[in-house]
Amino acid sequence: MADDKRVVLVTGGSRGIGRAICLALGRPGDVVAFNHFDPDESAAEETIKLLTAQGVVAEGRKFDVSDPAQVNAFIEDLVGRHGRLDVLVNNAGITLDTLLVRMTLEQWERVLKVNLTGTFVCTQAAAKVMMKQRSGSIVNLASVVGTIGNIGQANYSASKAGVMALTKTAAKELASRGVRVNAVAPGFIETDMTKAIPEKVAELMKANIPLGRAGQPEDVADVVAFLCSDAARYLTGQVLHVGGGMYM
Ligand code: NAP
């Protein structure tokens, strides 16, 4: 939307890619709300500090992105106070990696619940608001492994493939109401999530990146900011791979 002041919600904005997205989207006067899950508030406080320094009205809250009651209450309260919701970025995500034959049902279900159900729950709540206002942009965080698969990530890769399919269906359902829905599929981005990957495996992955380096959270955040901007007004239902050419 071409309006001056935007109301933005980023899930999982306390650190990593989510924090960079908050900072890339937040212009002076905008409201940027985000959630996080860790009871330790220090990372969320740092995001709020950085946003405030940019002149953004920042709000962080702790709740599980996959809990419909908490998501609906948060969005209702946010829209009640600020009158609208212009941007939703479904960024919150987790990994619980292990080989397929060792994966427990709990590991499978938790990753699907946070990554895919969480994206559905937030999209549904935001769509109701955006459809009424006849404008809005939703960006979902998928992953390169949702397209190409990855050893040890049956749960995660399936959740991200689901996010891509959900993106396309939501884009088709919401287009006539002026709401665009797109996804970014990052490759290997240096955050806490990729710190958990054994060094040898990480080196092998980085060696296969045509642009010759791992990505930084800002590399993804800039593409998300583009997708939420008026410059992307004719884009919907797209998955943009942001992986230095890892997948092409
Ligand atoms: P990260 O550094 O681990 O940060 C994850 C964020 O999600 C944190 O803010 C975390 O909050 C939040 N979160 C986790 N579970 C949550 C829940 N149940 N409810 C609410 N918030 C929750 O991860 P990242 O690397 O920045 O990844 C961000 C997104 O990009 C994810 O969807 C991930 O799958 C995707 N992605 C990342 C890469 C990569 O290479 N890093 C590649 C492809 C896709 P707390 O701090 O409170 O736990």
Side-chain angles (χ1 to χ4, degrees):
M1 75 166 256
D3 198 46
D4 305 358
K5 186 190 123 180
R6 292 191 302 190
V7 181
V8 172
L9 172 57
V10 179
T11 68
S14 55
R15 56 198 169 90
I17 296 170
R19 176 188 284 167
I21 291 170
C22 288
L23 294 170
L25 289 175
R27 302 171 306 199
D30 285 348
V31 175
V32 175
F34 67 89
N35 79 327
H36 65 99
F37 190 54
D38 197 321
D40 178 354
E41 303 275 344
S42 55
E45 282 164 9
E46 180 62 16
T47 301
I48 290 180
K49 199 173 114 191
L50 293 167
L51 283 168
T52 308
Q54 277 183 202
V56 172
V57 180
E59 316 185 356
R61 189 91 56 86
K62 182 202 164 312
F63 63 85
D64 188 338
V65 80
S66 65
D67 179 339
Q70 294 190 65
V71 169
N72 291 334
F74 184 79
I75 292 185
E76 203 176 300
D77 175 59
L78 184 72
V79 175
R81 284 182 294 111
H82 299 292
R84 55 188 302 117
L85 179 63
D86 300 300
V87 171
L88 166 69
V89 182
N90 286 304
N91 165 80
I94 58 166
T95 52
L96 289 172
D97 295 354
T98 190
L99 292 174
L100 174 69
V101 291
R102 290 194 197 136
M103 190 169 284
T104 64
L105 194 57
E106 287 71 28
Q107 287 170 321
W108 170 266
E109 286 180 343
R110 182 64 190 156
V111 170
L112 266 290
K113 191 166 185 209
V114 174
N115 298 3
L116 184 54
T117 305
T119 299
F120 163 72
V121 166
C122 294
T123 299
Q124 189 181 54
K128 288 177 185 166
V129 178
M130 291 175 174
M131 283 168 83
K132 261 195 214 144
Q133 72 193 16
R134 299 213 161 244
S135 70
S137 176
I138 299 173
V139 178
N140 299 326
L141 270 284
S143 167
V144 66
V145 306
T147 301
I148 65 174
N150 198 23
I151 290 171
Q153 294 196 312
N155 48 5
Y156 182 78
S157 58
S159 75
K160 295 301 186 177
V163 165
M164 291 188 217
L166 171 60
T167 299
K168 293 173 190 186
T169 293
K172 286 186 176 177
E173 290 190 12
L174 303 180
S176 64
R177 308 296 180 92
V179 182
R180 297 183 299 104
V181 189
N182 292 289
V184 289
F188 186 101
I189 311 297
E190 285 180 337
T191 65
D192 294 339
M193 186 177 272
T194 44
K195 262 186 213 145
I197 298 172
E199 207 178 314
K200 269 193 185 159
V201 180
E203 287 313 315
L204 207 66
M205 288 172 88
K206 285 189 235 174
N208 285 318
I209 301 173
L211 283 180
R213 65 168 176 88
Q216 295 304 312
E218 294 73 21
D219 295 324
V220 179
D222 285 348
V223 178
V224 173
F226 160 69
L227 286 172
C228 296
S229 76
D230 200 46
R233 61 192 168 275
Y234 202 53
L235 276 187
T236 198
Q238 303 306 304
V239 178
L240 298 189
H241 279 264
V242 189
M246 246 175 127
Y247 171 79
M248 58 178 81

